Amino acid sequence: MTLLIFVDESGDPLQLDEGPYILSSVAICEDELDTVDSSFSRFISHINNHYGIRVNEIHTKYLVKGNTPWRLPMQDRARIFQEIAELVSRLDIVLNIVAVIKSRPGVEISKKRARGIRKHALKLLVERLYMTRASENIALIIFDSKNLREDANIRQDIEKCIEEALANPTYRTYITFSYSHLEPAIQIADYVAYLTRYIVTKQYRWQSFDFEKAFLTIEPRIRRCPGQDTYEGCGLKIWEIG
C-alpha cells in the first residue's frame, strides 16, 4: 500500500502583506481513498440537489465570497462551510499545515525571495510528512497542478527539500500532479489551507462565517506531536518572517 499525500496552498509568498501563505496536506492510506472520494462526491450531490445549484468541485474561496456558482445567501454558504468541516472531521485522514506570516508589513518581497520562502515552507512540510506515522513504506505526494513551468519548479524544489529535510525519510517518496476537480482530497487541502489563513491571523468570524468553530471541528485531524496532545509546531507549523 501507498500513503497518498495531497497538497494545496492558499495565498502567495509575494503578497504576505495581504495575508499569510499556507501549505496544507492531507495524508490518506491508499485503501481509504475510495471512502474519502465517495463521501465528498455524495456531499457535492447533496448540495446540488438541496440548493438547486450546479457545483462540480469545492473552491473554498469562491464559496466564502459567493462567487459563481455559489450564488446563495450568505447564511446558506456559511452552513455549507461548516458542513464541510464536519465531513472532514469524520474522515480517516491526517492533516499537516505550514503557515508563513510576515511580522513587519511594508518590506517588499522579491520574486527570488518569494521562491525561497515557498521552498523553505515546502521543506517544513516535508519534515512534517516524514513524522506522520504510517505503516506504508511508499509515499506519493500529489500537488494541485498549476502549469508545466510551475509544476516543474515545485518538483525541483520538493526534491531538494527531501534531500535537505532534517527529519529522516520514512518512505520512498514520489511526486506527481493532478487537478482539483479530479481529486476530492485536493479540495479538502484547499479548504484546510483557506480556513487556516483566517485562524493564524485571528480572524475568527466574518459575518455569518464562524471560522473558529470550523477549525475546532477539523482540529482532531491535525497531527499531534509525539506523545502529546498538542499540534503546535508539529501538525501546524507557523513560520514568522521579518
Side-chain angles (χ1 to χ4, degrees), residues 105-142:
V107 179
E108 185 176 353
I109 295 177
S110 65
K111 288 186 177 180
K112 181 178 179 180
R113 189 184 180 201
R115 183 171 179 186
I117 290 170
R118 184 178 69 177
K119 182 179 177 181
H120 187 68
L122 285 168
K123 177 174 173 285
L124 293 173
L125 183 65
V126 165
E127 290 170 350
R128 276 141 190 85
L129 297 180
Y130 282 151
M131 290 186 283
T132 300
R133 294 179 62 184
S135 58
E136 292 80 5
N137 58 12
I138 297 175
L140 180 63
I141 304 178
I142 303 125

Side-chain angles (χ1 to χ4, degrees), residues 2 15 40 79 87 95 100-101 117 124 142-143 145 151 157 181 187 210 218 226 228:
T2 301
Q15 300 172 334
F40 222 69
R79 187 180 303 111
L87 172 59
L95 304 176
V100 184
I101 60 175
I117 290 170
L124 293 173
I142 303 125
F143 287 86
S145 181
D151 291 356
D157 287 348
H181 70 275
Q187 297 172 49
D210 190 335
I218 69 165
Q228 302 180 48

Side-chain angles (χ1 to χ4, degrees), residues 34-47:
D34 285 347
T35 299
V36 172
D37 288 353
S38 60
S39 296
F40 222 69
S41 295
R42 286 195 302 270
F43 179 74
I44 290 178
S45 294
H46 162 71
I47 290 172

Side-chain angles (χ1 to χ4, degrees), residues 11-179:
D12 189 329
L14 270 173
Q15 300 172 334
L16 288 177
D17 279 336
E18 299 176 16
Y21 171 63
I22 311 291
L23 281 169
S24 169
S25 71
V26 179
I28 307 170
C29 295
E30 188 177 8
D31 58 358
E32 287 291 325
L33 184 62
D34 285 347
T35 299
V36 172
D37 288 353
S38 60
S39 296
F40 222 69
S41 295
R42 286 195 302 270
F43 179 74
I44 290 178
S45 294
H46 162 71
I47 290 172
N48 286 333
N49 293 332
H50 186 77
Y51 294 99
I53 58 177
R54 193 173 186 84
V55 174
N56 296 319
E57 63 175 311
I58 293 177
H59 286 291
T60 308
K61 181 179 179 179
Y62 297 165
L63 168 63
V64 172
K65 301 302 182 184
N67 301 130
T68 303
W70 299 100
R71 297 295 188 184
L72 295 171
M74 179 172 287
Q75 287 186 342
D76 289 339
R77 302 199 316 272
R79 187 180 303 111
I80 293 169
F81 188 89
Q82 177 60 30
E83 288 174 352
I84 297 172
E86 291 166 4
L87 172 59
V88 170
S89 73
R90 295 192 296 269
L91 298 174
D92 189 6
I93 61 178
V94 178
L95 304 176
N96 282 286
I97 310 162
V98 173
V100 184
I101 60 175
K102 195 175 178 185
S103 60
R104 292 185 298 124
V107 179
E108 185 176 353
I109 295 177
S110 65
K111 288 186 177 180
K112 181 178 179 180
R113 189 184 180 201
R115 183 171 179 186
I117 290 170
R118 184 178 69 177
K119 182 179 177 181
H120 187 68
L122 285 168
K123 177 174 173 285
L124 293 173
L125 183 65
V126 165
E127 290 170 350
R128 276 141 190 85
L129 297 180
Y130 282 151
M131 290 186 283
T132 300
R133 294 179 62 184
S135 58
E136 292 80 5
N137 58 12
I138 297 175
L140 180 63
I141 304 178
I142 303 125
F143 287 86
D144 188 18
S145 181
K146 307 298 183 186
N147 54 62
L148 290 176
R149 181 177 180 179
E150 190 71 9
D151 291 356
N153 286 339
I154 290 175
R155 182 184 295 277
Q156 180 181 353
D157 287 348
I158 201 77
E159 288 174 348
K160 191 68 174 176
C161 291
I162 290 171
E163 293 177 9
E164 297 174 353
L166 298 179
N168 292 324
T170 46
Y171 333 97
R172 284 181 289 149
T173 307
Y174 302 91
I175 305 158
T176 190
F177 297 84
S178 188
Y179 300 97

Side-chain angles (χ1 to χ4, degrees), residues 212-223:
E212 183 177 31
K213 180 180 179 181
F215 189 79
L216 291 173
T217 303
I218 69 165
E219 197 179 46
R221 300 293 101 202
I222 302 175
R223 183 180 62 83

